[in-house]
Amino acid sequence: MRLPAPTKSQPVRTEQIILFRVSGQLFAVSSASVKEVRSVDTLSGAAKEIAQAGLRKVRHIVQRGEHSLYVVNGAMHFGLPPFEPALVFVLRHTRTALLVDGIEKMTTMTRLQALPQAFCNDERDWYRGVTALDQTVVPVVKPEGFLTPDELFLLDSSLQPKDSDSAASHTGGPPSVFEGGGLESTFTTNLPSDPGPLESTSDIPVDSDPGAAPLGFKGAGLDPTSTTIDPASLPQ
């Protein structure tokens, strides 16, 4: 009698992510989606102030060569209390620079769960799904979810010649959102790309209260001593 050949176990797919905070709230983003990490102070002289009625989360624009990046206030985007940003994430393949409190740590995730039904409004466009790390549920953001095509159209419309001329003539000090960035040193980090993103699954149990606030992750915390990659080791 011939015994069946042993089956080879499939390697576990992983995705490197950056855990970051906005107004103290924990979020995750694929490290492959973050082109650069900068101190807020490094943008203080390059950012120009803009105004678009109905889109309070964007107040500044940064010109990068032939392209312009819109600076999104993370707290206003997520509907969280105001905060003083320390870092800017320049997101790859988007026109978004995201203001955040800071980096919690870098680690890997092996599973991405589809959003619970409690997420039923705009947040379904903000997140790829959720993941569980150290028994903590963390939303994983979509880099392209910070500015919709309609919002980009409105912002581009506000940069017509008469408005751009007005912005160019602004002679005041650095925009207030970039004052006191909170970091003594500045740095730029070009993060390496990693394997393709995980597909969303539904095999991770997540407790969700249908009556809870859209985020549903208030008070989530991670032990900073369990860091896989110490953010302090990032190139300065």
Side-chain angles (χ1 to χ4, degrees):
M1 179 177 177
R2 178 177 297 179
L3 296 176
T7 58
K8 294 182 179 180
S9 59
Q10 295 294 326
V12 177
R13 290 188 61 192
T14 62
E15 182 177 348
Q16 188 180 43
I17 56 175
I18 301 173
L19 295 179
F20 64 97
R21 291 190 180 273
V22 174
S23 294
Q25 173 65 47
L26 192 66
F27 299 90
V29 64
S30 170
S31 64
S33 300
V34 181
K35 182 178 181 180
E36 299 175 13
V37 179
R38 287 182 171 269
S39 164
V40 165
D41 296 337
T42 66
L43 297 183
S44 60
K48 294 183 179 180
E49 191 168 0
I50 61 174
Q52 173 57 51
L55 201 60
R56 296 177 58 247
K57 65 182 180 181
V58 178
R59 284 291 177 266
H60 300 87
I61 184 174
V62 177
Q63 197 69 28
R64 301 293 298 272
E66 298 179 354
H67 305 285
S68 55
L69 295 176
Y70 293 110
V71 182
V72 175
N73 184 300
M76 289 186 177
H77 175 77
F78 292 118
L80 295 171
F83 74 105
E84 186 170 350
L87 297 179
V88 179
F89 286 177
V90 179
L91 300 178
R92 201 183 301 274
H93 305 308
T94 73
R95 298 172 63 192
T96 302
L98 179 67
L99 295 172
V100 305
D101 295 10
I103 293 174
E104 184 81 1
K105 67 177 182 179
M106 296 180 68
T107 186
T108 57
M109 69 174 178
T110 57
R111 292 182 179 179
L112 179 66
Q113 182 204 354
L115 287 175
Q117 291 302 313
F119 292 74
C120 56
N121 296 308
D122 291 343
E123 63 269 18
R124 299 203 72 85
D125 296 323
W126 299 345
Y127 307 121
R128 293 169 51 198
V130 295
T131 191
L133 299 170
D134 300 332
Q135 299 182 343
T136 300
V137 178
V138 182
V140 182
V141 302
K142 290 181 181 179
E144 68 276 14
F146 291 100
L147 289 172
T148 67
D150 288 344
E151 289 172 336
L152 285 169
F153 177 79
L154 289 174
L155 290 167
D156 288 341
S157 298
S158 71
L159 298 179
Q160 296 302 317
K162 61 177 182 179
D163 294 327
S164 60
D165 291 342
S166 176
S169 65
H170 177 66
T171 57
S176 59
V177 71
F178 294 117
E179 293 176 356
L183 289 185
E184 293 297 330
S185 61
T186 61
F187 63 91
T188 300
T189 301
N190 291 319
L191 296 172
S193 299
D194 56 9
L198 299 176
E199 295 183 357
S200 177
T201 64
S202 58
D203 56 353
I204 304 176
V206 176
D207 295 328
S208 61
D209 178 3
L215 283 175
F217 299 101
K218 299 296 184 181
L222 290 178
D223 180 6
T225 62
S226 62
T227 303
T228 302
I229 301 176
D230 185 354
S233 67
L234 293 173
Q236 295 291 314

